[in-house]
C-alpha cells in the first residue's frame, strides 16, 4: 500500500523554533514584492514552510495569511510538510520520459512504499518529481539531494537508495 | 605565464558525469609531478558535447579529451603535459570517425556548427570578467553608448533578430515600442525561466558566458531608456545563478553597472529573481506578476509589457539567447555579419539542445536554414543503437513532432510553424521506434495540465478532459470517437485561452494525430502499442529461435517471471510479468519481442 502522508503530518509535530524568523525577514520589511524571496529563505531554513512560520511572516510583512498561502501554494518549490533527510527528485523531462523515467519512478515507489510528494515514515527519503534538471545526456536521471545519478535502469535503483543512510 | 591551459567542462551535464572528481584527480597528478603552477585549470563553460563528458580541452595544443575518468589523469599528466605526447586512448572515437579525432574541427559533432552565441562557452573562465573583455566583451556596449537609442533599435531591427524565447517576435521592434512608450521609469527583464522540459541552452549560456547576457541587457537598457534590469532565473539552476551573481559583482567593480557608467551619464543596475517552479511563469505577463511577488498568472494583452510592464512601467522582456546575440549585432559591422547567416525570415544562428534517442546528446549551435536531417545525422550522429528514426519533437509542450518524411525541412520559424511544430526555445528530443507517440502526447498534456494556472476554464478543464481521453487510450479503453473529441477539445482550448500556454498546449496532441494517426488507431482498435510503452497493450515474448539462454534477463527480472535452464531458450510467464522492461534492456541478443496481448502465435516475424 502506498501511504498518503497523512499519518506523518500528525505523527511528527516537533515545536518550531521561531527565533530565526525575525532576522530572516528583517531585510525585506516593507517590501511586499519580495515575498517570494522571503518564503525561499524561510524554506531554506526549515526545509519546508511550517504553519507557525507562515503566520510569523504574515505578521511581520503585514500580508494576510490567505494571500501568503495563495502565493506559496502556487509555486511547486514551496512545501507545506516536513521532508526527509534525502530528497529524491525524479527528472520528468522529455528525454528522461522517453528513456524510461516512469519505470524508474515506479521502482522507487515500490521500494520505498511511498508515492511522489510523500516522505517515508522514518524521515529518510522524500520522493519528488522535477520538470527537468537539464542533464538530458544522462537520461534517465534522478537527483538525491545534490547528487545526480544518470543512465539509470530499474535494476540499479536499489543499490543507489541503499547508499543513502 | 602558464605553459598550458586546461579547460575542464564545469557545466551541469559534465558535473553530473563526474567532472569534479576528474578535476580533483588532475590536481593531484599535477602536484605529484610538482608542476601544478605551470598549468592554468579552469572549470569553465560547456563545449556542448554532453554525451562524451567529462571533457578536458588542452590549449594551446587544442586537444580534446573526453569520457574521462579520475584514473585517466595520471596518464594525461605524465604523457601529454610532461612527455608532450597526445594520449590517443582518451581522444574522441566513434563510428563517425575513421581515426581518433584530436580536435573540434575533426569531430563530426562540431563540423556543421557555427559558434556565435556560444562564442565564449568553454573558452573563457566565466567567473573572470577580464577574460570576457579580452575576447572583445563590452566593446559593443561602449559603441552603443555613442549611439542614439533609436539608432540602436534600428540596428537590431535591421539585423533581423527574432526572439529566441519561442514566439519569434522582432526584437528591434519590441525595443522600439518600449522606447516610444511614455514614462521615465522603464525596465529590462531577462527571461531565464527555461521551463521547457528537454531544453537547457539558456542554462548553458548563463553558466558559460554570463557577461554576454549582462552586456545585452546594458545595450537594451540604453536603447529603451531603462535604468534597471531583472534576470528571472529558475531556482533549479543554482550554478547559473551563482555565475551570474559573480558576473554582476565584477561588472559593478569595473564600473560597467551602476551610476554614470563609463562617464556617459547612463545608470543601470541588474537584480536576480529566482523563480519558484511554475512553468507558466515563463510567459511574460505571468513572469512579471511573479517578480512583483504575486501568483504567477498571465493577464490579457494588450496592454503589452512594452506599455504596461513590471510595476506598471514600460518593460522589454527578452530571452537569454536573444540577449546573448545583441553584442554581436551592436559591434562594429555586426548587423551585416549577423544577417548574412540564415534564411530570408530567420537570421543568425540557433542553439539547440539535442536529447533523446540520439547518439550525440548535447548542445549545438547551427545556422538557421540548416535541415533537420543535418542536425540529426551530421551533428547528432544519428539514432542510438542503430534503431529507426521515428520523429523529433521541437518546441516542447507548445510544439509538435516532425516525422521522417519532413527530415529535409529547413529549420526556421516559418517552416516549423507550417509543419505544426514551433521553434520554441530550441529543445529537440529525438524519438525512435521504441517511443510511443500516443504516450508522448499524453506525457506533454499531463505536464501542461499540471502547469495550467487555472485562470481560463478551457485550459483548466479542457486539458483535464483531453488527458482523461489520452489516459484511456493508453490504458486500452479507447473508443473510436476519441480522436474527434480530442480534435474538437483542442480547437476550443486553442481559441479561448488567454495565454500561450493554453493556446499551444494541444499542439503535441494535434501533431501526433496528424502524423501518427495509425498509432492512435492501433491503440484504440487493436489494443496494441507497437512501441512497447503502454503496459496494458503489449506482451514481451522471447524469440525461441534466437535466445541462447544466457540468463541475463532472468537475473534482472524483479518478479521471477522468466523461466528456463541455462543455455536453453527462456520464456516469459505472462501471468507474472509486470512489463517493467528490465529484461529487454539487458538482453544482449535483442531477442525479447513486443507482441500484441493474447497473441499466442510464434514471434519469429
Ligand atoms: C507557457 C509559456 C512559457 C514560456 N516560457 C518561456 C521561457 O521559459 N523562456 C523564455 O524565454 N520565454 C518563454 N516564453 C515566451 C515569453 O512569453 C516571451 O515571449 C519571451 O520571453 C520574449 O522574449 P524573446 O522575444 O526574446 O523571445 C513562454 C511563453 C509561454 C506562453
Amino acid at each position: 500500500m502506498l501511504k498518503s502522508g497523512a499519518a506523518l503530518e500528525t505523527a511528527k509535530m516537533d515545536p518550531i523554533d521561531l527565533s530565526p524568523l525575525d532576522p530572516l525577514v528583517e531585510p525585506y520589511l516593507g517590501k511586499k514584492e519580495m515575498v517570494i524571496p522571503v518564503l525561499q529563505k524561510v524554506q531554506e531554513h526549515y526545509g519546508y514552510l511550517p504553519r507557525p512560520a507562515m503566520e510569523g511572516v504574515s505578521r511581520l510583512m503585514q500580508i494576510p495569511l490567505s494571500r501568503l498561502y495563495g502565493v506559496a501554494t502556487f509555486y511547486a518549490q514551496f512545501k507545506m510538510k516536513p521532508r526527509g533527510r534525502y530528497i529524491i527528485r525524479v527528472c520528468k523531462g522529455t528525454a528522461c520520459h522517453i528513456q524510461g523515467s516512469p519505470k524508474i519512478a515506479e521502482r522507487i515507489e515500490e521500494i520505498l512504499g511511498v508515492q511522489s510528494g510523500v516522505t517515508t515514515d522514518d524521515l529518510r527519503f522524500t520522493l519528488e518529481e522535477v520538470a527537468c534538471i537539464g542533464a538530458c545526456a544522462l537520461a534517465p536521471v534522478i537527483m538525491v539531494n545534490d547528487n545526480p545519478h544518470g543512465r539509470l535502469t530499474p535494476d540499479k535503483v536499489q543499490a543507489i537508495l541503499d547508499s543513502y543512510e | 605565464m602558464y605553459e598550458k591551459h586546461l579547460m575542464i567542462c564545469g557545466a551541469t551535464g559534465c558535473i553530473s558525469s563526474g567532472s569534479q572528481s576528474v578535476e580533483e584527480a588532475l590536481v593531484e597528478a599535477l602536484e605529484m609531478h610538482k608542476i601544478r603552477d605551470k598549468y592554468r585549470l579552469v572549470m569553465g563553460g560547456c563545449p556542448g558535447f554532453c554525451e562524451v563528458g567529462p571533457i578536458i580541452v588542452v590549449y594551446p595544443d587544442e586537444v580534446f579529451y573526453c569520457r574521462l575518468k579520475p584514473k585517466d589523469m595520471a596518464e594525461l599528466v605524465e604523457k601529454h603535459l610532461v612527455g608532450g605526447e597526445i594520449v590517443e586512448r582518451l581522444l574522441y572515437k566513434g563510428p563517425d570517425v575513421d581515426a581518433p579525432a584530436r580536435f573540434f574541427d575533426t569531430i563530426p559533432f562540431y563540423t556543421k556548427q557555427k559558434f556565435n552565441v556560444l562564442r565564449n562557452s568553454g573558452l573563457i573562465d566565466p567567473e573572470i570578467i577580464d577574460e570576457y573583455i579580452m575576447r572583445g566583451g563590452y566593446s559593443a556596449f561602449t559603441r552603443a553608448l555613442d549611439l542614439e537609442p533609436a539608432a540602436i533599435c534600428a540596428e537590431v531591427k535591421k539585423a533581423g533578430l527574432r526572439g529566441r524565447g519561442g514566439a519569434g517576435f522582432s526584437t528591434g521592434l519590441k525595443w522600439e515600442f518600449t522606447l516610444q512608450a511614455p514614462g521615465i521609469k522603464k525596465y529590462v527583464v531577462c527571461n531565464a525561466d527555461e521551463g521547457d522540459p528537454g531544453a537547457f541552452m539558456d542554462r548553458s549560456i548563463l553558466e558559460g558566458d554570463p557577461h554576454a547576457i549582462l552586456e545585452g541587457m546594458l545595450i537594451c537598457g540604453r536603447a529603451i531608456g531603462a535604468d534597471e534590469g531583472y534576470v528571472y532565473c529558475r531556482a533549479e539552476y543554482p550554478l547559473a545563478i551563482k555565475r551570474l551573481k559573480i558576473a554582476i559583482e565584477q561588472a559593478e567593480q569595473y564600473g560597467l553597472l551602476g551610476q554614470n557608467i563609463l562617464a556617459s551619464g547612463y545608470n543601470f543596475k541588474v537584480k536576480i529573481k529566482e523563480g519558484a517552479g511554475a512553468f507558466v511563469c515563463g510567459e511574460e505577463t505571468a513572469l512579471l506578476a511573479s517578480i512583483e511577488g504575486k501568483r504567477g498568472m498571465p493577464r490579457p494583452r494588450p496592454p503589452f509589457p512594452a506599455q504596461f510592464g513590471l510595476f506598471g512601467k514600460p518593460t522589454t522582456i527578452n530571452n537569454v539567447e536573444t540577449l546573448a546575440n545583441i553584442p554581436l549585432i551592436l559591434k562594429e559591422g555586426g548587423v551585416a555579419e549577423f544577417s548574412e547567416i540564415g534564411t530570408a525570415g530567420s537570421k543568425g544562428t540557433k542553439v539547440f539542445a539535442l536529447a533523446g534517442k540520439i547518439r550525440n546528446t548535447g548542445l549545438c549551435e547551427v545556422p538557421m536554414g540548416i535541415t533537420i536531417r543535418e542536425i540529426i545525422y551530421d551533428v547528432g550522429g544519428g539514432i542510438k543503437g542503430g534503431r529507426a528514426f521515428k520523429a523529433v519533437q521541437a518546441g516542447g509542450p507548445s510544439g509538435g513532432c516532425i516525422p521522417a518524411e519532413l527530415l529535409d525541412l529547413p529549420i526556421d520559424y516559418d517552416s516549423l510553424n507550417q509543419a505544426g511544430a514551433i521553434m520554441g526555445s530550441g529543445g529537440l528530443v529525438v524519438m525512435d521506434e521504441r517511443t510511443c507517440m500516443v504516450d508522448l502526447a499524453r506525457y506533454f498534456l499531463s505536464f501542461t495540465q499540471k502547469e495550467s494556472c487555472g485562470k481560463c476554464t478551457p485550459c483548466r478543464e479542457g486539458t483535464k478532459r483531453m488527458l482523461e481521453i489520452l489516459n484511456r487510450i493508453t490504458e486500452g479503453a479507447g473508443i473510436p470517437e476519441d480522436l474527434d473529441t480530442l480534435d474538437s477539445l483542442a480547437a476550443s482550448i486553442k481559441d479561448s485561452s488567454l495565454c500561450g500556454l493554453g493556446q499551444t498546449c494541444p499542439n503535441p496532441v494535434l501533431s501526433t494525430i496528424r502524423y501518427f494517426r495509425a498509432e492512435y488507431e492501433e491503440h484504440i482498435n487493436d489494443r496494441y502499442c507497437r512501441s512497447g510503452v503502454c503496459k496494458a497493450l503489449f506482451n514481451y515474448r522471447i524469440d525461441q529461435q534466437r535466445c541462447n539462454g544466457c540468463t541475463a534477463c532472468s537475473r534482472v527480472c524483479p518478479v521471477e517471471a522468466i523461466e528456463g535452464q541455462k543455455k536453453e531458450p527462456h520464456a516469459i510467464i505472462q501471468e507474472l510479468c509486470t512489463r517493467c522492461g528490465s529484461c529487454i534492456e539487458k538482453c544482449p541478443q535483442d531477442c525479447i519481442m513486443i507482441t500484441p496481448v493474447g497473441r499466442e502465435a510464434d514471434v519469429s516475424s
Side-chain angles (χ1 to χ4, degrees):
Chain A
M1 260 300 280
L2 295 180
K3 298 218 176 69
S4 71
L8 184 79
E9 249 179 304
T10 42
K12 192 81 191 167
M13 275 306 233
D14 288 339
I16 305 282
D17 174 15
L18 289 178
S19 57
L21 206 59
D22 277 283
L24 278 180
V25 180
E26 165 75 40
Y28 304 102
L29 288 179
K31 298 181 190 162
K32 291 202 168 124
E33 78 280 6
M34 297 302 278
V35 50
I36 295 172
V38 169
L39 294 177
Q40 283 167 336
K41 289 260 183 296
V42 173
Q43 174 154 309
E44 206 175 282
H45 182 83
Y46 292 104
Y48 71 111
L49 297 174
R51 167 98 188 190
M54 289 291 276
E55 285 164 0
V57 172
S58 160
R59 197 177 55 247
L60 291 167
M61 296 202 58
Q62 304 198 340
I63 298 174
L65 192 58
S66 58
R67 177 88 49 84
L68 208 55
Y69 269 106
V71 171
T73 53
F74 185 84
Y75 296 97
Q77 187 189 15
F78 296 121
K79 313 291 173 188
M80 306 300 146
K81 289 179 204 157
R83 294 196 290 162
R85 289 195 296 287
Y86 301 106
I87 315 276
I88 306 173
R89 292 190 182 85
V90 180
C91 180
K92 292 277 170 167
T94 318
C96 285
H97 177 82
I98 64 168
Q99 289 177 102
S101 68
K103 291 175 187 171
I104 307 295
E106 239 166 69
R107 184 58 65 86
I108 300 176
E109 288 180 357
E110 269 167 35
I111 294 173
L112 299 183
V114 294
Q115 274 172 322
S116 179
V118 180
T119 301
T120 55
D121 280 346
D122 55 2
L123 289 184
R124 184 166 156 216
F125 290 112
T126 300
L127 182 57
E128 292 179 357
E129 292 175 355
V130 55
C132 181
I133 56 173
C136 306
L138 303 173
V141 192
I142 64 170
M143 299 270 285
V144 182
N145 289 354
D146 291 331
N147 305 326
H149 297 271
R151 301 197 165 115
L152 290 183
T153 46
D155 60 302
K156 291 185 187 160
V157 168
Q158 183 78 55
I160 291 173
L161 297 187
D162 287 347
S163 69
Y164 293 92
E165 267 313 317
Chain B
M1 264 310 271
Y2 293 111
E3 259 177 37
K4 290 188 204 302
H5 302 241
L6 278 74
M7 310 299 294
I8 307 161
C9 177
T12 305
C14 274
I15 289 183
S16 307
S17 31
S19 65
Q20 265 159 343
S21 41
V22 166
E23 191 216 30
E24 283 159 21
L26 176 62
V27 170
E28 204 175 290
L30 287 170
E31 278 169 356
M32 221 175 71
H33 289 267
K34 306 211 168 25
I35 50 172
R36 172 71 185 87
D37 6 321
K38 288 200 208 162
Y39 300 95
R40 182 169 151 268
L41 305 191
V42 181
M43 268 297 234
C46 170
F49 205 171
C50 309
E51 180 69 31
V52 299
I55 296 168
I56 293 180
V57 186
V58 182
Y59 292 95
D61 324 31
E62 306 205 328
V63 176
F64 184 96
Y65 289 120
C66 57
R67 298 189 199 276
L68 298 173
K69 298 254 168 0
K71 63 176 168 47
D72 299 328
M73 291 304 103
E75 188 180 349
L76 191 142
V77 169
E78 221 167 287
K79 252 199 176 162
H80 188 148
L81 302 185
V82 179
E85 200 186 317
I86 289 174
V87 190
E88 286 263 325
R89 186 174 75 77
L90 303 175
L91 295 174
Y92 174 79
K93 295 176 222 69
D96 48 359
V97 287
D98 297 330
R102 274 188 64 184
F103 188 55
F104 293 105
D105 49 2
T106 49
I107 299 175
F109 177 72
Y110 289 108
T111 39
K112 288 214 169 160
Q113 294 201 45
K114 169 108 186 96
F115 292 117
N116 275 359
V117 171
L118 301 178
R119 58 196 177 276
N120 293 324
S121 258
L123 273 180
I124 63 167
D125 183 337
E127 298 184 7
I128 300 180
I129 188 172
D130 301 272
E131 302 209 352
Y132 180 68
I133 294 173
M134 236 137 53
R135 293 197 30 100
Y138 290 108
S139 60
F141 168 59
T142 47
R143 181 173 166 271
L145 279 177
D146 294 331
L147 296 175
E148 285 300 313
I152 303 176
C153 297
E155 287 200 3
V156 176
K157 208 158 84 176
K158 184 149 176 251
L161 175 63
R162 295 171 67 172
R164 302 296 195 237
F169 192 77
S170 157
T171 306
L173 207 57
K174 201 187 241 183
W175 289 15
E176 222 167 67
F177 290 148
T178 323
L179 170 66
Q180 285 159 2
I184 304 167
K185 181 76 189 176
K186 293 179 185 176
Y187 291 98
V188 177
V189 174
C190 169
N191 188 342
D193 197 40
E194 196 161 58
D196 180 354
F200 52 98
M201 9 330 114
D202 292 351
R203 188 200 70 211
S204 194
I205 298 169
L206 289 162
E207 286 177 356
D209 199 11
H211 285 285
I213 314 299
L214 294 183
E215 187 175 2
M217 290 179 76
L218 273 162
I219 295 171
C220 176
R222 179 69 176 176
I224 64 170
D227 66 351
E228 199 172 344
Y230 280 92
V231 180
Y232 186 90
C233 186
R234 61 197 301 239
E236 289 89 338
Y237 288 176
L239 186 60
I241 293 172
K242 177 184 149 214
R243 297 236 164 107
L244 201 56
K245 277 191 182 144
I246 295 172
I248 291 173
E249 269 166 35
Q250 293 181 343
E252 282 168 353
Q253 280 160 13
Y254 276 54
L256 288 162
L257 284 174
Q259 297 291 314
N260 194 16
I261 297 167
L262 304 176
S264 63
Y266 172 45
N267 309 327
F268 196 74
K269 58 180 173 189
V270 174
K271 292 182 187 158
I272 301 174
K273 275 274 182 166
E274 285 182 36
F279 171 66
V280 73
C281 283
E283 196 277 336
E284 53 189 25
T285 60
L287 185 149
L288 297 176
S290 181
I291 296 183
E292 294 168 4
K294 302 179 187 145
R295 289 163 70 90
M297 311 250 259
R299 60 158 177 83
R301 299 172 305 174
F304 286 91
Q307 275 84 41
F308 187 89
L310 191 58
F311 303 113
K313 307 292 181 213
T315 302
T316 288
I317 302 182
N318 275 133
N319 162 264
V320 168
E321 191 183 337
T322 313
L323 288 166
N325 270 297
I326 295 296
L328 295 171
I329 293 172
L330 262 290
K331 70 175 189 201
E332 200 62 54
V335 173
E337 222 175 276
F338 182 88
S339 52
E340 222 164 64
I341 306 169
T343 63
S346 308
K347 297 294 184 197
T349 59
K350 178 77 192 85
V351 184
F352 288 102
L354 274 178
K357 316 253 178 120
I358 191 159
R359 274 197 55 235
N360 302 337
T361 39
L363 214 63
C364 65
E365 181 172 2
V366 288
M368 295 274 194
I370 192 173
T371 65
I372 294 173
R373 186 187 301 280
E374 285 172 287
I375 296 185
I376 291 181
Y377 287 93
D378 298 343
V379 178
I383 309 302
K384 241 183 225 163
R387 293 217 174 88
F389 170 87
K390 190 186 259 185
V392 54
Q393 213 279 348
S398 317
C401 285
I402 298 159
E405 308 91 272
L406 295 179
L407 270 175
D408 290 309
L409 197 73
I411 288 262
D412 67 35
Y413 289 95
D414 312 302
S415 54
L416 282 175
N417 278 347
Q418 269 163 29
I422 59 163
M423 179 82 79
S425 49
L428 288 179
V429 184
V430 176
M431 331 272 170
D432 68 5
E433 56 203 317
R434 288 273 178 80
T435 314
C436 168
M437 302 315 272
V438 187
D439 174 71
L440 184 78
R442 191 197 55 78
Y443 160 78
F444 278 117
L445 212 73
S446 75
F447 177 83
T448 33
Q449 193 272 319
K450 268 190 230 141
E451 295 294 340
S452 167
C453 79
K455 186 166 181 164
C456 309
T457 316
C459 173
R460 183 184 68 232
E461 300 299 328
T463 51
K464 257 210 165 86
R465 297 292 91 81
M466 284 182 78
L467 182 60
E468 279 167 8
I469 296 176
L470 289 165
N471 278 338
R472 192 162 74 209
I473 300 178
T474 53
E475 283 158 12
I479 49 175
E481 300 84 84
D482 279 344
L483 293 186
D484 288 339
T485 319
L486 283 174
D487 256 336
S488 93
L489 278 167
S492 6
I493 297 172
K494 278 174 89 111
D495 278 350
S496 49
S497 298
L498 199 60
C499 86
L501 191 147
Q503 287 160 11
T504 59
C505 71
N507 288 352
V509 182
L510 292 177
S511 90
T512 45
I513 295 184
R514 173 165 162 193
Y515 296 118
F516 297 95
R517 198 179 180 93
E519 256 185 62
Y520 277 87
E521 286 168 350
E522 206 164 43
H523 277 67
I524 295 171
N525 302 331
D526 308 334
R527 303 280 189 251
Y528 179 40
C529 174
R530 62 169 65 214
S531 318
V533 173
C534 303
K535 286 190 173 182
L537 301 181
F538 70 95
N539 279 149
Y540 287 125
R541 272 169 211 284
I542 297 175
D543 185 338
Q544 299 295 308
Q545 259 77 56
R546 282 194 289 142
C547 176
N548 61 8
C550 75
T551 74
C553 59
S554 59
R555 274 180 282 140
V556 294
C557 178
V559 291
E560 291 173 20
I562 303 181
E563 57 183 3
Q565 298 299 315
K566 217 169 175 171
K567 305 226 164 99
E568 309 241 331
H570 283 42
I572 293 174
I573 310 166
Q574 298 301 344
E575 295 72 36
L576 296 181
C577 175
T578 57
R579 284 167 293 276
C580 72
S582 299
C583 55
I584 199 164
E585 311 266 356
K586 282 282 178 303
C587 176
Q589 298 294 323
D590 218 1
C591 68
I592 301 182
M593 320 294 278
I594 293 154
T595 62
V597 181
R599 188 196 284 175
E600 295 304 334
D602 195 298
V603 288
S604 29
S605 59

